[in-house]
Amino acid sequence: MFEFFTPVMDWFQATLGVPLWVAAIGLVIVMTLLIDLVSWVVFWRLGPLLEKTSNRWDDILIQSLRRPLRIWIWLMGGLLCLTIIRLHWEIDWIAGHLSQARAVVSLFLLAWAGLRAVKLLEKRLIFPPAGHRAKPMDADTASAVSKILGAVVVVLAGLLMLSSLGVSLSGVVAFGGFGGLMIGFAARDMLSNFFGGLVIHLDKPFRVGDWVKSPEREIEGVVEDIGWRLTRIRTFASRPLYIPNSAFSNLVLENPSRMFNRRLFETIRLRYTDIERVAEIVKSIRSMLESHDDVDTDEQLLVYFQTYGEHALEIMVYAFARTTDWSEFQSMKQDVLLRIYDIVREHDACLALPASELHVAGPVTVASEDDGETDDASGTTHSRAASSREAPYTSSRQRSRDARQGEAKDASQDQDQESDA
């Protein structure tokens, strides 16, 4: 293969006194550098031209081959230099390894280029070129397609590498039957998660960016990634939640991101004294909702006096908002509730609060603690005997204090009587 370059190498050897094998290595390096420079210029000029064509796949091929091809050129140049060294030093045992190395390196870089093409294909499916008639594909489907194609590329490249290394593919297939059975038992959870991820990509119960929740498992958040083994959900507390894909096969999941409206369902409670105004209040609330800009009148709208509650008259308000955005719905709900309050006030009614009434059977009298007489509510007078009726409600300490004072008073009176005698 070096016969064409023999005169050049002879000139190097005669002029510069460089050995023939060293001149051959230098020539290979120079040729590798030139080929790499030409490939870089070709790709640099050809890439923008292919992006302007009507075909949306040709530029993907160029972009996927650009870096692997340049690395392949230099690796092949290095292996060629090793071949020159082997021929010069007559190292025969390395000849077979060099041929295998060329095949493995070529297949590895080809697989790398294939994976790069699959990744670019995924982006192109989601974002078609400007002005192209192709419709964009949703991110989940494009991700599933790219993952399947990537797995096919890796498996084919692996089998070809084994074949280039001298491994019999029939033996690999025969071992794969028994080995696959053993691996299936050992990694059944991983396989169930794999097929669970495949089912998610096919059925599409949710997509990346959807808000999902499961009341039975207390799962709620936004889907960030759907992998082949795990699905990552970001909760509203900004914490990542990793769920095995197999769990979704037995999980009841709610996807609020796909609802068409948000529901307003409230109960307005009025006092029992406003029973005569309930019909007009209900009519005014219904008219207000029908004329509200944020209420979807195409959906069901209900405003009715529902029941006699324990503490209030209950009016049901049932309507749907036009928006599905949570913050916009909260603003709409606030406006509706404030308008309902204004309607209640306009009809001289009030919102009810839980309350209790205490009924007393007879008149209530209040007696003073003075020694003199006091008048009650009916105008009758009470003597000191009224104070005696309150004696059972005085404390034992007060009664003992009064008794001691009475005894001291009696003793002083007795002493006065004896002195008079």
Side-chain angles (χ1 to χ4, degrees):
M1 64 181 294
F2 298 104
E3 295 178 356
F4 179 78
F5 302 103
T6 301
V8 178
M9 291 185 291
D10 291 340
W11 180 84
F12 271 103
Q13 184 178 10
T15 305
L16 303 177
V18 178
L20 184 61
W21 64 277
V22 175
I25 291 176
L27 184 60
V28 169
I29 294 175
V30 172
M31 293 299 299
T32 303
L33 181 61
L34 291 175
I35 294 173
D36 179 47
L37 182 61
V38 170
S39 66
W40 181 80
V41 172
V42 170
F43 280 107
W44 179 69
R45 296 291 298 173
L46 191 60
L49 294 177
L50 293 179
E51 290 178 356
K52 298 178 181 179
T53 61
S54 59
N55 193 335
R56 57 173 177 164
W57 311 117
D58 48 6
D59 57 329
I60 291 179
L61 181 62
I62 295 298
Q63 293 178 13
S64 60
L65 286 176
R66 182 179 298 170
R67 186 174 298 176
L69 181 60
R70 295 188 65 185
I71 296 176
W72 180 83
I73 291 171
W74 282 102
L75 289 178
M76 289 298 105
L79 291 175
L80 189 57
C81 292
L82 291 177
T83 302
I84 296 173
I85 295 174
R86 181 194 69 82
L87 293 174
H88 176 73
W89 297 99
E90 297 180 355
I91 307 175
D92 297 332
W93 62 270
I94 203 175
H97 297 288
L98 288 175
S99 60
Q100 291 179 351
R102 293 191 190 94
V104 170
V105 167
S106 300
L107 291 173
F108 177 78
L109 293 176
L110 186 62
W112 183 24
L115 293 177
R116 285 170 55 88
V118 169
K119 201 64 179 178
L120 294 172
L121 174 66
E122 178 183 357
K123 294 181 179 179
R124 185 55 54 85
L125 290 175
I126 300 174
F127 305 105
H132 203 276
R133 292 181 295 177
K135 296 182 179 180
M137 185 180 293
D138 61 278
D140 294 334
T141 304
S143 176
V145 171
S146 66
K147 289 176 181 177
I148 293 174
L149 292 178
V152 171
V153 170
V154 171
V155 170
L156 289 178
L159 292 176
L160 292 176
M161 286 181 187
L162 292 176
S163 177
S164 63
L165 293 175
V167 180
S168 176
L169 294 181
S170 59
V172 173
V173 173
F175 176 76
F178 177 75
L181 183 62
M182 298 301 296
I183 293 174
F185 280 110
R188 58 183 180 273
D189 293 337
M190 185 178 295
L191 292 177
S192 63
N193 291 328
F194 173 81
F195 287 107
L198 181 61
V199 170
I200 291 174
H201 284 294
L202 294 177
D203 292 343
K204 298 183 179 65
F206 53 84
R207 299 176 181 176
V208 174
D210 284 356
W211 166 25
V212 297
K213 65 178 181 178
S214 175
E216 59 182 9
R217 296 287 185 90
E218 297 183 357
I219 298 172
E220 186 173 8
V222 179
V223 180
E224 285 191 340
D225 181 65
I226 304 174
W228 286 116
R229 193 178 71 88
L230 294 172
T231 295
R232 186 175 72 249
I233 296 177
R234 181 73 59 173
T235 65
F236 292 117
S238 297
R239 298 175 181 174
L241 188 64
Y242 300 94
I243 304 174
N245 292 331
S246 59
F248 292 104
S249 60
N250 299 318
L251 189 65
V252 178
L253 202 66
E254 182 181 350
N255 192 342
S257 299
R258 297 183 182 178
M259 60 185 176
F260 300 105
N261 304 87
R262 283 189 177 272
R263 186 183 65 172
L264 174 66
F265 187 24
E266 296 292 332
T267 300
I268 310 301
R269 294 176 174 84
L270 302 179
R271 301 176 304 177
Y272 270 91
T273 55
D274 300 325
I275 182 64
E276 298 178 355
R277 305 178 183 88
V278 169
E280 293 298 327
I281 292 175
V282 168
K283 183 178 179 181
S284 299
I285 294 175
R286 185 181 295 112
S287 300
M288 181 270 295
L289 292 176
E290 289 175 352
S291 61
H292 201 287
D293 295 335
D294 296 331
V295 175
D296 192 354
T297 55
D298 295 333
E299 298 292 333
Q300 194 171 25
L301 192 152
L302 301 174
V303 182
Y304 290 105
F305 171 46
Q306 192 172 21
T307 185
Y308 294 97
E310 183 178 359
H311 300 286
L313 306 171
E314 296 184 358
I315 299 175
M316 178 187 66
V317 178
Y318 187 91
F320 288 89
R322 295 183 183 275
T323 181
T324 59
D325 184 78
W326 187 77
S327 61
E328 294 179 2
F329 171 73
Q330 294 300 320
S331 177
M332 169 263 186
K333 180 179 178 180
Q334 172 182 291
D335 183 65
V336 169
L337 293 179
L338 291 177
R339 291 192 184 188
I340 291 175
Y341 175 74
D342 293 337
I343 291 173
V344 172
R345 290 292 301 273
E346 289 173 0
H347 289 80
D348 295 330
C350 289
L351 300 177
L353 294 174
S356 300
E357 293 184 0
L358 179 62
H359 296 275
V360 182
V364 179
T365 59
V366 179
S368 65
E369 297 180 356
D370 299 337
D371 294 337
E373 296 179 351
T374 56
D375 295 337
D376 61 358
S378 61
T380 61
T381 59
H382 292 271
S383 62
R384 193 183 297 271
S387 303
S388 64
R389 288 198 298 269
E390 298 178 359
Y393 300 97
T394 60
S395 62
S396 59
R397 182 178 298 176
Q398 183 67 30
R399 291 199 300 271
S400 61
R401 185 183 300 113
D402 295 341
R404 288 195 299 269
Q405 291 178 356
E407 291 176 355
K409 186 176 182 180
D410 293 340
S412 62
Q413 291 177 354
D414 293 340
Q415 291 177 0
D416 292 341
Q417 290 176 1
E418 290 176 357
S419 62
D420 293 339

